[in-house]
Amino acid sequence: MIPPHLTNQQRIEISQFVIDLLNPLREKIGAQPFVVSQGSVDLAQAVADQYNADHVYIGHNYQGLNKVEVANARAFREAVEGLDTSINNMDDLKAAIFSAIDDMIFHDTPDWGHARTLLGLLNDADLNNESDGVTQSYLGMSVSGDATNGMMIHFIPTYDDVDELEGTPAHPFDKTVIKEAKQDNTAAIKAAQAKLDQANTDVTNAQQSKKGADEQLTQAQAELAAAEQSLVAVKASASAKTAQRVSDAKGRVTDLQGQVTGLKGAIEKTNQTLAAAQAKLAQDNQQLAELQKPQAQPDNEKYTNLDPSLVVKVNVTAGDTTIPAPTLAAGAYIKNTDNGTASAAMFMVLAQTNGVYPEGTKVEWADPAKVQKDAQTAGTYDEEVILDFPDGTKSKAFNVPGVLVVAAKQTPSTDPTTPTEANHTLTVHYFETIGYAADGREINKEVGSQTFTGKQGDVISSDQIKVPAGYKLAMDGVTYTIGDKDSTLEQPVVSIETPTGDHNNENQPTTGNQTNGQLPAGAKVVNGQVVDANGNGNVLAGWTVVNGQAVRNGSTVAVNADGQTAPSAKRLPQTGSSDSLALAGLGAASLLGMFGLAGLNKKRG
């Protein structure tokens, strides 16, 4: 394999190898992780081809880069570094790439330009928002040059929101994300285990050889000591026989010293063999651990269900040509909070209010053609939707009952002499309070809706109101009035099983500002507001309506449509035990601020 002549699959492989190294760093600083697409791989190869055509073998080829931008009508950045010409396989190439990334990110002084390019920390007029957390970021790799003149490796990042350049691109940019194929590591693990076992055997054999050599050295040293003592004794004798014995002893000492030197060399060689075997054993252990690591599971395999109540209904008028995509309710998203520093109260609140799907999950219509067709006729329609996850995967289609609400289109009068009073719609969304967020806000779930059509001033009586099965209005005697334009209204309901007694008014709030326990004479609740008695619909200051009940200066007064105190005041969802949950939520929000868990405001450097 010659690096400048990589196949397309090999270029994809090294591109995915690079993003596996860079993405953990980019995610730590809030930059969008890189993905690899055929478009990013082709763009990187176009850069390498231009370097080869211009015979540039060192540094940035700015004129050539400009040509590639114009030819492809797409802006991009480049980080480039020289490559060893002796590389002849993919393992050597990946090792060289790793060394290049290490050099660019940790040793790229004085301005750290390469590091900022690879980590998404540069501002550029043609590459705006390149560190934006929701902008898709692509990366492709290529190699230029040859073994004679020198080779270079090119890192080419580009982004989804790059400014469009003038001209027609030679090849449209293919944004399809290429997923890294999951590998079956069973055979590799088995081979690694075999290598590990052999390494253990080699270590054992080397240890036994060293033990034998040590024993031989000990014996030789003992014989040397004895010979040296004998030599000393022989030197003390002056006879010819003694002199001969001295000569013999010196010869023996010389022989034994040679043996000791040889044994020491053998022991040194044995120690080197043992050290090499131990290093090989450690390497095999590390490779085995890497192969046994669990592989990340994609989002569409983690999240396989959809609660229809989490999808916000889409309201349009019959005949509309642009139908917005549905969205998830705010409570549907998993909170990104470091619970390790939270108090026990905060844990309780987060456990009750945390969502289902990761931040950034979007919803799209599964069958846009059907949605467009249904939107031409007034009514409420069931539609299928698909979840689009942040990791690029998508779910199967889920059916959501009543998600598309189509209001009737108003037809103006065709008689030029007789003005026709226009009809208007009032869409009422019925919701139930199911809990409280960490900051004390209510978490509501829509359980149904109802659309009324009429002329301005028409009153919708209580017998026309159809509350969803299993629920009832939070307050009796409610009526609605059609306004001067199409409008919507939120109406609180409670499940039929919800207790209504107040146990002799225990826990009912009181203040010094409210003494008579009812609205002013003639005032009443209309369309979720407290209005006066003169018939003009003027809203009374100081009064609000919470869950169908009128509230003034913190006091709760349950009233009927005529403004009279209800016989048995229903306790609001905010009173009683629910107050402690809301207060716990507010406390949790404060703790988040104290421990520095607020969202990081990412700005581009």
Side-chain angles (χ1 to χ4, degrees):
M1 181 206 77
I2 301 175
H5 302 289
L6 297 173
T7 65
N8 183 65
Q9 188 57 42
Q10 288 172 327
R11 290 195 294 270
I12 292 173
E13 181 179 347
I14 62 171
S15 298
Q16 289 174 330
F17 172 75
V18 170
I19 70 171
D20 287 344
L21 296 175
L22 292 179
N23 279 348
L25 299 176
R26 291 174 65 88
E27 290 173 351
K28 287 291 184 182
I29 63 176
Q32 178 74 1
F34 279 130
V35 298
V36 176
S37 74
Q38 189 60 55
S40 64
V41 173
D42 291 343
L43 184 62
Q45 186 57 36
V47 171
D49 291 342
Q50 189 64 48
Y51 271 68
N52 290 334
D54 295 339
H55 304 291
V56 176
Y57 304 103
I58 186 171
H60 292 282
N61 181 14
Y62 293 108
Q63 292 183 349
L65 293 173
N66 185 59
K67 292 179 182 178
V68 177
E69 282 194 339
V70 172
N72 291 273
R74 187 171 188 87
F76 57 88
R77 299 201 67 85
E78 179 195 46
V80 64
E81 183 150 323
L83 195 62
D84 188 351
T85 58
S86 65
I87 291 174
N88 55 18
N89 58 57
M90 287 295 284
D91 288 342
D92 291 344
L93 179 57
K94 289 180 179 178
I97 291 173
F98 179 87
S99 177
I101 291 176
D102 176 76
D103 184 57
M104 289 180 179
I105 292 180
F106 300 106
H107 308 286
D108 189 28
T109 58
D111 61 351
W112 302 95
H114 290 96
R116 290 184 290 147
T117 293
L118 296 180
L119 299 180
L121 297 173
L122 287 173
N123 290 321
D124 190 292
D126 292 329
L127 293 169
N128 45 26
N129 296 327
E130 64 181 287
S131 61
D132 191 332
V134 297
T135 298
Q136 187 69 285
S137 304
Y138 305 89
L139 183 131
M141 300 294 302
S142 62
V143 179
S144 67
D146 53 55
T148 301
N149 296 294
M151 296 186 298
M152 292 189 293
I153 186 164
H154 306 268
F155 300 74
I156 306 298
T158 185
Y159 306 86
D160 250 353
D161 60 348
V162 297
D163 292 341
E164 292 296 330
L165 303 179
E166 295 183 1
T168 301
H171 305 285
F173 188 83
D174 185 355
K175 298 181 180 180
T176 304
V177 176
I178 300 174
K179 293 296 183 180
E180 185 172 359
K182 293 183 179 179
Q183 297 180 352
D184 183 3
N185 291 326
T186 303
I189 291 175
K190 184 176 180 181
Q193 186 64 56
K195 291 170 63 179
L196 182 63
D197 293 341
Q198 183 60 47
N200 280 317
T201 300
D202 293 343
V203 170
T204 300
N205 293 337
Q207 289 174 334
Q208 290 176 350
S209 298
K210 182 178 184 300
K211 180 179 179 182
D214 287 337
E215 291 174 352
Q216 292 181 12
L217 175 62
T218 299
Q219 182 179 354
Q221 287 175 332
E223 292 181 6
L224 174 62
E228 288 176 340
Q229 291 177 355
S230 177
L231 176 61
V232 171
V234 170
K235 285 182 177 180
S237 175
S239 65
K241 184 178 179 180
T242 301
Q244 182 62 43
R245 292 179 61 187
V246 168
S247 177
D248 293 341
K250 285 182 177 181
R252 179 59 178 164
V253 168
T254 300
D255 291 341
L256 290 174
Q257 286 176 334
Q259 292 181 24
V260 169
T261 300
L263 288 173
K264 286 184 176 180
I267 290 174
E268 178 64 25
K269 185 175 181 180
T270 301
N271 285 334
Q272 293 175 354
T273 302
L274 177 61
Q278 288 174 332
K280 187 65 168 61
L281 176 62
Q283 180 182 3
D284 291 344
N285 273 321
Q286 183 177 0
Q287 291 179 355
L288 181 61
E290 289 295 327
L291 290 170
Q292 291 175 333
K293 286 183 179 179
Q295 298 182 4
Q297 185 181 22
D299 285 345
N300 64 348
E301 294 181 10
K302 293 181 185 177
Y303 311 102
T304 57
N305 296 315
L306 173 63
D307 181 355
S309 67
L310 297 178
V311 181
V312 179
K313 295 182 182 297
V314 177
N315 293 280
V316 298
T317 301
D320 283 354
T321 57
T322 301
I323 312 301
T327 58
L328 291 175
Y333 297 107
I334 299 172
K335 298 182 183 300
N336 184 15
T337 304
D338 182 5
N339 292 342
T341 59
S343 66
M346 178 176 173
F347 276 126
M348 293 177 61
V349 174
L350 292 177
Q352 295 173 356
T353 62
N354 213 354
V356 179
Y357 304 110
E359 286 286 351
T361 301
K362 299 179 181 178
V363 186
E364 61 184 51
W365 297 115
D367 188 351
K370 179 180 180 300
V371 173
Q372 189 68 46
K373 179 180 178 182
D374 292 343
Q376 305 309 305
T377 306
T380 301
Y381 299 92
D382 300 349
E383 304 291 349
E384 288 189 337
V385 302
I386 294 174
L387 297 177
D388 188 354
F389 297 109
D391 70 348
T393 60
K394 294 186 179 182
S395 73
K396 66 179 182 181
F398 299 102
N399 184 63
V400 180
V403 68
L404 180 63
V405 180
V406 183
K409 184 176 183 179
Q410 305 304 316
T411 304
S413 171
T414 57
D415 185 353
T417 61
T418 304
T420 301
E421 187 175 358
N423 284 340
H424 299 287
T425 61
L426 173 62
T427 302
V428 181
H429 298 277
Y430 301 107
F431 69 89
E432 178 186 19
T433 300
I434 60 175
Y436 298 87
D439 58 3
R441 293 183 293 103
E442 294 179 355
I443 300 176
N444 296 322
K445 178 179 75 173
E446 184 173 332
V447 298
S449 63
Q450 191 174 4
T451 300
F452 303 97
T453 303
K455 296 178 176 56
Q456 180 180 358
D458 287 353
V459 177
I460 309 302
S461 61
S462 59
D463 58 352
Q464 295 176 270
I465 299 175
K466 305 300 181 184
V467 179
Y471 294 91
K472 65 178 181 178
L473 294 174
M475 190 190 88
D476 299 328
V478 174
T479 61
Y480 308 132
T481 302
I482 301 295
D484 59 351
K485 57 184 178 180
D486 293 345
S487 60
T488 60
L489 174 67
E490 291 188 350
Q491 179 65 52
V493 297
V494 295
S495 60
I496 292 177
E497 292 76 14
T498 302
T500 58
D502 59 2
H503 304 288
N504 297 324
N505 293 326
E506 63 177 355
N507 294 330
Q508 291 294 324
T510 59
T511 68
N513 296 329
Q514 180 65 39
T515 58
N516 56 12
Q518 69 179 47
L519 292 170
K524 57 184 178 180
V525 177
V526 177
N527 291 350
Q529 295 178 313
V530 180
V531 299
D532 60 17
N534 62 15
N536 293 329
N538 295 325
V539 178
L540 289 178
W543 289 88
T544 57
V545 176
V546 179
N547 288 348
Q549 297 183 347
V551 178
R552 181 181 183 185
N553 296 331
S555 298
T556 302
V557 182
V559 299
N560 58 24
D562 296 327
Q564 301 301 315
T565 305
S568 177
K570 299 177 177 60
R571 183 179 297 123
L572 291 176
Q574 291 92 336
T575 62
S577 62
S578 297
D579 273 337
S580 63
L581 180 58
L583 290 173
L586 292 174
S590 299
L591 283 172
L592 288 173
M594 292 172 60
F595 287 103
L597 300 178
L600 177 63
N601 182 18
K602 299 187 287 294
K603 295 184 178 179
R604 301 170 57 205

